[in-house]
Amino acid sequence: QKEVEQDPGPLSVPEGAIVSLNCTYSNSAFQYFMWYRQYSRKGPELLMYTYSSGNKEDGRFTAQVDKSSKYISLFIRDSQPSDSATYLCAMTFGGGGNKLTFGTGTQLKVEL
Amino acid sequence: DGGITQSPKYLFRKEGQNVTLSCEQNLNHDAMYWYRQDPGQGLRLIYYSQIVNDFQKGDIAEGYSVSREKKESFPLTVTSAQKNPTAFYLCASSPVAGTANTEAFFGQGTRLTVV
């Protein structure tokens, strides 16, 4: 079993839809959770960063962490074709310089 | 502009050759990482370094080597011992070791192809 599980998709939604992306993990020691967006043939870019349980909102993006269920989510409101990319969840135990453990990524396509 | 620069963007290697991928950062980050990305497998950690002159093996270090002689630079050598080197290689860095600040920032990647 992988430490971090993420549905690879592809996930196809119409423009304007609310998108829900999820990851589950097995190690309860993870404390810091990140979502990255990766366009084809590019490096991942950091979208959201959260510590422990709770919600964090940034524009159209909301990140949720439920440590009791070992489950994290990224919601995208009013999705746009420019949101079409692969979304990677990542997590770490904490402390600067800690290595990240990644999910495999979910491929999202937002259609006109 | 602050950031992470990887070069070259595309690299072709003949079987049996060693090649070195460059990674430079001007973010003043202590920690640097090398990941390999293959379709359907996500990012897998090759090596990481938390301070100059020190580095640790990640999950798939066999066939790779690194050095960390300067804070800004963390080159990766793909040796002839790496049996399946064709992949997308990503370098990342993160802020000061020993703090709670753990976001990692990535370069734009190097696509290595064995011909």
Side-chain angles (χ1 to χ4, degrees), chain B residues 2-24:
Chain B
I4 301 173
T5 302
Q6 289 187 242
S7 62
K9 190 172 182 179
Y10 299 98
L11 186 58
F12 297 89
R13 188 195 95 171
K14 292 182 180 179
E15 287 200 30
Q17 280 184 340
N18 293 354
V19 290
T20 297
L21 283 59
S22 171
C23 179
E24 303 278 331

Side-chain angles (χ1 to χ4, degrees), chain A residues 12-34:
Chain A
S12 184
V13 301
E15 183 179 9
I18 297 174
V19 176
S20 173
L21 304 166
N22 311 294
C23 288
T24 59
Y25 61 95
S26 56
N27 193 332
S28 58
F30 287 130
Q31 294 196 67
Y32 296 87
F33 304 91
M34 283 141 274

Side-chain angles (χ1 to χ4, degrees), chain B:
Chain B
D1 283 338
I4 301 173
T5 302
Q6 289 187 242
S7 62
K9 190 172 182 179
Y10 299 98
L11 186 58
F12 297 89
R13 188 195 95 171
K14 292 182 180 179
E15 287 200 30
Q17 280 184 340
N18 293 354
V19 290
T20 297
L21 283 59
S22 171
C23 179
E24 303 278 331
Q25 54 101 358
N26 60 4
L27 300 168
N28 198 34
H29 286 171
D30 281 329
M32 296 186 74
Y33 314 80
W34 275 104
Y35 290 89
R36 170 182 170 141
Q37 189 173 32
D38 297 281
Q41 296 203 51
L43 275 69
R44 293 183 291 168
L45 183 65
I46 303 172
Y47 268 98
Y48 64 108
S49 168
Q50 297 192 347
I51 56 171
V52 175
N53 293 322
D54 187 50
F55 47 83
Q56 286 79 40
K57 292 181 179 180
D59 301 318
I60 55 164
E62 185 176 350
Y64 299 97
S65 66
V66 293
S67 63
R68 188 87 187 276
E69 297 176 0
K70 297 186 299 181
K71 187 175 184 177
E72 303 79 17
S73 179
F74 191 40
L76 173 74
T77 297
V78 184
T79 75
S80 56
Q82 169 49 236
K83 297 191 188 316
N84 185 21
T86 295
F88 190 46
Y89 290 87
L90 288 159
C91 178
S93 69
S94 66
V96 176
T99 72
N101 196 357
T102 58
E103 305 104 300
F105 298 90
F106 284 83
Q108 290 304 297
T110 294
R111 187 165 298 276
L112 173 63
T113 303
V114 174
V115 296

Side-chain angles (χ1 to χ4, degrees), chain A residues 61-81:
Chain A
F61 299 91
T62 300
Q64 282 187 353
V65 174
D66 181 350
K67 289 193 72 182
S68 62
S69 302
K70 300 192 187 70
Y71 188 87
I72 68 171
S73 300
L74 178 71
F75 297 96
I76 307 174
R77 291 182 296 282
D78 187 25
S79 55
Q80 304 295 310

Side-chain angles (χ1 to χ4, degrees), chain A residues 3 9 12 16 39 43 57 61 64-65 81 83 87 92-93 102 104:
Chain A
E3 274 195 296
S12 184
Y39 293 112
E57 188 173 320
F61 299 91
Q64 282 187 353
V65 174
D83 295 327
Y87 290 80
T92 184
F93 303 121
F102 282 85
T104 53

